[in-house]
Amino acid sequence: MKLYPLFADLAARSVLVVGGGAVGERKAAALLEAGASVVVGAISASPALRALAAAGRIVLREGHFEEHWLDEAWLVIAATGDTDLNRRIATLGEQRRLFVNVVDDAALSSFHVPAIVDRSPVTVAISSGGDAPVLARLLRERLETLLDPALGSLATLASRLRKRIREQLPDLRARRAYYERLFTGPVLQFLRRGQPALAEAEAEHVLATNATDVNGSVVLVGAGPGDPGLLTLRGLRALNEADVILHDRLVSPEVLALARRDAERIEVGKQAGNHHATQEHIHALMLEHAKAGRRVIRLKGGDPFVFGRGGEELEFLRAHGIAYEVVPGITAALACAAYAGIPLTHREHAQSVRFVTAHCRGSHDTLDWAALAQERQTLAVYMGVSELGVLQQQLLEHGRAAATPFALVENGSRREQRVVTGTLAHLAERAEAHQVRSPALLILGEVAALASSLAWFGEPPLEDAADSRRLHREPVRLRPLAGVTARRA
């Protein structure tokens, strides 16, 4: 090791910061969080440091650096921007056997300030030995996404129970098994939900009964439309905690690659005309693995509560006493529209948006076609590729204008994304001509015409020449915003 890692207890101990600029502010703020008694010395101090001094939170010494400032210090941070002064402070500190950090100068520093991931009382410190501080910050950012914010509360709870745990579980193996259940089971889930009383009650129950038949849990996670960058941080943490992942067919390989390497992956997705994985089978798998004490992730494309049967799965889990959570995902309508450059609402063209599913003929009789055919609204139609002809016919028969623009977004947000545009009169014809296949989302409404001018991701939209000429003759007119010129669609 180039550096020996230490965690210093600075509570009520004097730490000197030399320098009154922005860097000195940051260092003083971090030291205050650690409970240090902070003294800042500077020729000129920032307003923020003056405010801290006025509030009695720091001691401010204004003027040129003087050696006696070091007399009471345990640690010293030099943040002056003056190389000669920083070197002098480092030399004097060395003579007094004080640890000195010179900001952005590893050679002069006898201690380094690491990048910190704070889950107090759990703290992770990252150092590159001064060789690559940017890399250390990047690693901190990565760990911030992986470490649950509830870990601090979990550590505090474990600390309160520590004496009783040692008394009731003298056997080391039994104690380790208890801690594993404490740190990975329902207790953490209760803390994550903001229910500390339930978390403590669960921890006490397991300790009092020495329960070994603890059930696992299920987390419904929305995987988003395919781009792994759209997965939420909570979803990423869940994937890294999973023992078993029950995933749909349309969850992208890139999202699955983010999961824990040793997690068992089971594909349970259904496709049109191929329902080998029934909902009852999915329920049975969730119950089987949760009863075995495993952490199960039910990974769904998009959002689990938007045409994803998430409600049915929660009802099943609740009926069988299985703990569950829900992690929302970015649903296909939001992602496909955004990646195609289509605003779902627009004050000039659409004041509402409807999410519709049309994956089977039986659903046609239950849809309010007259309402769906109304103008000045956007339709986002899920799972409708095989029924585009029926959709087209019903909307036209119920009064939707034949010239209404549409966009079919295939594989939205993925590298292979395609956008096919046109008008309602040619919807089924255009889809067949370009062999549009699932997964694809239909966006119908005046806003869909904006795809031709606002598209930013992937290849340009595949436009119909006749429809394009018509749209240029009858452009979508945007009300100019301040300082912005409207663009013709």
Side-chain angles (χ1 to χ4, degrees), residues 41 59 64 70 113 126 133 138 172 209 218 235 254 268 270 290 304 358 361 365 383 389 399 423 447 451 453 481:
V59 174
H64 291 280
L70 303 172
V113 179
I126 306 158
L138 289 173
L172 180 59
T209 60
V218 177
E254 292 84 0
V268 296
K270 300 181 286 291
R361 291 186 179 277
D365 295 336
M383 297 174 282
T423 59
V447 293
S453 59
L481 303 178

Side-chain angles (χ1 to χ4, degrees), residues 43-341:
I43 298 173
S44 176
S46 70
L49 288 171
R50 289 183 179 278
L52 288 173
R57 299 192 62 199
I58 67 171
V59 174
L60 183 59
R61 294 176 175 171
E62 295 193 85
H64 291 280
F65 170 77
E66 297 182 30
E67 185 177 347
H68 70 83
W69 290 2
L70 303 172
D71 288 348
E72 302 298 325
W74 289 68
L75 290 175
V76 180
I77 295 179
T80 70
D82 182 331
T83 303
D84 292 336
L85 177 55
N86 287 344
R87 183 176 291 106
R88 181 182 172 219
I89 294 170
T91 300
L92 291 172
E94 181 75 17
Q95 293 171 358
R96 292 167 174 252
R97 297 183 179 178
L98 288 174
F99 283 109
V100 178
N101 173 258
V102 179
V103 176
D104 291 333
D105 194 331
L108 289 179
S109 298
S110 53
F111 82 95
H112 295 187
V113 179
I116 296 294
V117 181
D118 186 4
R119 299 290 186 269
S120 295
V122 177
T123 306
V124 179
I126 306 158
S127 173
S128 65
D131 294 334
V134 174
L135 177 59
R137 288 197 292 270
L138 289 173
L139 290 173
R140 179 190 64 79
E141 291 171 8
R142 178 66 61 86
L143 290 175
E144 285 280 8
T145 68
L146 297 176
L147 299 180
D148 198 301
L151 287 177
S153 299
L154 184 62
T156 300
L157 175 59
S159 177
R160 288 203 302 271
L161 295 174
R162 185 178 182 183
K163 182 178 179 182
R164 287 184 50 205
I165 293 170
R166 293 181 67 88
E167 291 173 350
Q168 292 188 220
L169 300 173
D171 181 73
L172 180 59
R173 286 179 296 179
R175 197 156 62 239
R176 284 177 175 169
Y178 173 80
Y179 274 121
E180 183 171 348
R181 292 195 297 272
L182 180 68
F183 294 151
T184 62
V187 173
L188 178 59
Q189 294 175 11
F190 284 130
L191 291 172
R192 191 180 288 142
R193 299 176 199 168
Q195 299 171 322
L198 291 177
E200 187 153 1
E202 175 67 17
E204 294 273 7
H205 169 71
V206 177
L207 181 59
T209 60
N210 195 20
T212 58
D213 58 344
V214 179
N215 282 337
S217 59
V218 177
V219 184
L220 272 64
V221 177
D227 181 349
L230 298 181
L231 186 70
T232 65
L233 295 182
R234 178 68 195 97
L236 179 61
R237 293 190 188 106
L239 286 176
N240 278 275
E241 296 169 358
D243 299 312
V244 178
I245 301 171
L246 308 177
H247 64 91
D248 291 345
R249 287 177 180 271
L250 297 181
V251 173
S252 71
E254 292 84 0
V255 170
L256 282 172
L258 298 174
R260 212 175 86 185
R261 292 291 181 266
D262 58 342
E264 181 180 359
R265 293 160 171 79
I266 303 174
E267 183 185 288
V268 296
K270 300 181 286 291
Q271 284 186 332
N274 182 12
H275 294 268
H276 78 281
T278 64
Q279 193 61 44
E280 290 74 16
H281 179 58
I282 294 171
H283 288 171
L285 285 172
M286 290 193 299
L287 183 61
E288 173 192 344
H289 289 288
K291 285 290 188 182
R294 302 184 182 102
R295 291 164 291 188
V296 180
I297 299 299
R298 175 70 176 100
L299 189 62
K300 296 170 173 283
D303 180 271
F305 278 7
V306 180
F307 305 130
R309 294 195 173 184
E312 296 176 36
E313 292 176 358
L314 290 196
E315 289 172 336
F316 175 84
L317 294 170
R318 182 176 179 82
H320 288 81
I322 302 299
Y324 58 81
E325 294 180 45
V326 181
V327 180
I330 296 179
T331 190
L334 302 183
C336 290
Y339 275 62

Side-chain angles (χ1 to χ4, degrees), residues 450-466:
L450 297 174
S452 62
S453 59
L454 301 183
W456 60 273
F457 180 82
E459 296 297 322
L462 299 169
E463 298 180 307
D464 179 84

Side-chain angles (χ1 to χ4, degrees), residues 255-457:
V255 170
L256 282 172
L258 298 174
R260 212 175 86 185
R261 292 291 181 266
D262 58 342
E264 181 180 359
R265 293 160 171 79
I266 303 174
E267 183 185 288
V268 296
K270 300 181 286 291
Q271 284 186 332
N274 182 12
H275 294 268
H276 78 281
T278 64
Q279 193 61 44
E280 290 74 16
H281 179 58
I282 294 171
H283 288 171
L285 285 172
M286 290 193 299
L287 183 61
E288 173 192 344
H289 289 288
K291 285 290 188 182
R294 302 184 182 102
R295 291 164 291 188
V296 180
I297 299 299
R298 175 70 176 100
L299 189 62
K300 296 170 173 283
D303 180 271
F305 278 7
V306 180
F307 305 130
R309 294 195 173 184
E312 296 176 36
E313 292 176 358
L314 290 196
E315 289 172 336
F316 175 84
L317 294 170
R318 182 176 179 82
H320 288 81
I322 302 299
Y324 58 81
E325 294 180 45
V326 181
V327 180
I330 296 179
T331 190
L334 302 183
C336 290
Y339 275 62
I342 301 171
L344 288 174
T345 61
H346 190 288
R347 60 184 177 180
E348 291 293 327
H349 307 296
Q351 283 71 52
S352 65
V353 58
R354 291 175 182 258
F355 293 176
V356 183
T357 180
H359 66 287
C360 61
R361 291 186 179 277
S363 66
H364 298 161
D365 295 336
T366 64
L367 294 175
D368 185 351
W369 291 105
L372 295 177
Q374 291 175 5
E375 302 294 323
R376 302 185 66 80
Q377 68 173 339
T378 304
L379 300 184
V381 183
Y382 292 68
M383 297 174 282
V385 170
S386 63
E387 303 297 324
L388 290 177
V390 177
L391 287 166
Q392 176 184 341
Q393 178 184 349
Q394 291 283 359
L395 290 171
L396 289 172
E397 288 180 357
H398 286 82
R400 193 76 196 226
T404 304
F406 77 81
L408 279 164
V409 186
E410 182 184 82
N411 290 309
S413 85
R414 306 188 189 200
R415 290 190 301 270
E416 60 270 28
Q417 173 178 301
R418 287 197 309 161
V419 180
V420 177
T421 62
T423 59
L424 179 58
H426 305 114
L427 171 58
E429 173 189 339
R430 296 276 293 144
E432 182 61 28
H434 289 283
Q435 298 184 333
V436 174
R437 297 292 179 264
S438 179
L441 183 104
L442 169 64
I443 301 173
L444 183 80
E446 288 72 15
V447 293
L450 297 174
S452 62
S453 59
L454 301 183
W456 60 273
F457 180 82

